[in-house]
Amino acid sequence: MKTQKIIYYVLTGLFTALMLFSASMYFFKNADMVKGFTSFGYPTYIIYPLGIAKILGLITIWQTKYKTIKEWAYAGFFFNVVLAFFAHYMIGDGEQTGAIIALVLLLSSYYFGKKTGNI
């Protein structure tokens, strides 16, 4: 059980680092994100709310009190990552690798979280 908890925390930590990097891009490299969102055909007004939602989702994943809300945060990240993969795939920019890595980390974190009782 201890090994599985360590795996859970490492995977969740790696996923958190990846999502924090992604969210920081929304705030600190906004011009690049506006260009990217425009190329996807997405409205640019969702950049800041999406960055805030990612940060709030990460806080929710790390909290231990409300497991139902934690499940919803994992679901939100799942949809975000899957949609990011298909957005990159459809425009053919070759940037979908980050989404695949995020999806593997997210699903693995969720699996070990369930197994250890953290979710």
Side-chain angles (χ1 to χ4, degrees):
M1 186 64 129
K2 185 176 181 181
T3 304
Q4 291 177 347
K5 278 196 174 207
I6 291 170
I7 292 170
Y8 165 72
Y9 285 119
V10 167
L11 292 170
T12 306
L14 290 172
F15 178 75
T16 299
L18 186 62
M19 288 297 111
L20 281 176
F21 173 74
S22 172
S24 70
M25 295 280 291
Y26 292 177
F27 298 109
F28 301 119
K29 297 226 176 204
N30 190 276
D32 294 337
M33 296 308 295
V34 166
K35 195 165 85 171
F37 271 60
T38 304
S39 70
F40 291 143
Y42 295 157
T44 56
Y45 61 82
I46 67 170
I47 292 173
Y48 287 123
L50 188 57
I52 292 168
K54 284 185 178 187
I55 292 169
L56 291 174
L58 291 172
I59 292 168
T60 304
I61 283 177
W62 283 99
Q63 63 85 25
T64 58
K65 190 172 183 181
Y66 304 105
K67 293 188 178 191
T68 303
I69 296 173
K70 191 182 247 191
E71 292 260 359
W72 280 96
Y74 271 101
F77 278 120
F78 176 79
F79 289 119
N80 178 265
V81 170
V82 168
L83 292 173
F85 169 81
F86 281 109
H88 286 290
Y89 179 77
M90 293 308 241
I91 67 166
D93 67 356
E95 296 291 328
Q96 63 267 23
T97 307
I100 292 171
I101 292 168
L103 183 62
V104 169
L105 289 172
L106 178 70
L107 293 176
S108 301
S109 170
Y110 183 79
Y111 172 77
F112 281 102
K114 280 294 209 184
K115 206 164 178 140
T116 60
N118 288 329
I119 299 175

